[in-house]
Amino acid sequence: MIGWENFFIAEVGASAALVGLIFVGVSINLTRIISLPGLPNRAFLALIILLTILVVSSLLLVPGQPLTLVGIEVLLVGLIIWITATILDVNIL
């Protein structure tokens, strides 16, 4: 993981900024988003995916972690997000 710190710092910053922009966009158009079926789930899914990038990049910045623990953390976050995204996608259809 040596040498990847700057990349993960950039990922944390970019994903945090994009999460903030989507959150503001959803907040401004909340009544319109709620009025259309399936759109609230899609907006939530967009937030979840960007938050996943933020969480995983943050976890990878924790110093001194063994690679096995990093792998388990990323796997658990990925599984939780995959299950959540699948449920949201099924509910959209």
Side-chain angles (χ1 to χ4, degrees):
M1 300 291 292
I2 307 273
W4 286 89
E5 293 88 10
N6 290 334
F7 175 75
F8 291 125
I9 290 170
E11 288 295 313
V12 167
S15 62
L18 290 173
V19 165
L21 287 173
I22 290 180
F23 184 79
V24 168
V26 168
S27 298
I28 290 172
N29 296 310
L30 189 59
T31 55
R32 236 171 124 188
I33 290 171
I34 291 174
S35 69
L36 298 170
L39 203 53
N41 283 351
R42 288 195 187 270
F44 185 54
L45 190 58
L47 280 171
I48 286 176
I49 290 171
L50 287 170
L51 279 172
T52 302
I53 297 168
L54 178 67
V55 168
V56 169
S57 296
S58 298
L59 287 173
L60 292 169
L61 284 173
V62 175
Q65 290 190 88
L67 285 179
T68 305
L69 181 60
V70 171
I72 291 170
E73 290 172 348
V74 171
L75 179 66
L76 287 176
V77 170
L79 283 174
I80 291 168
I81 298 307
W82 177 65
I83 290 168
T84 305
T86 302
I87 290 170
L88 288 173
D89 279 343
V90 167
N91 289 336
I92 289 172
L93 301 175

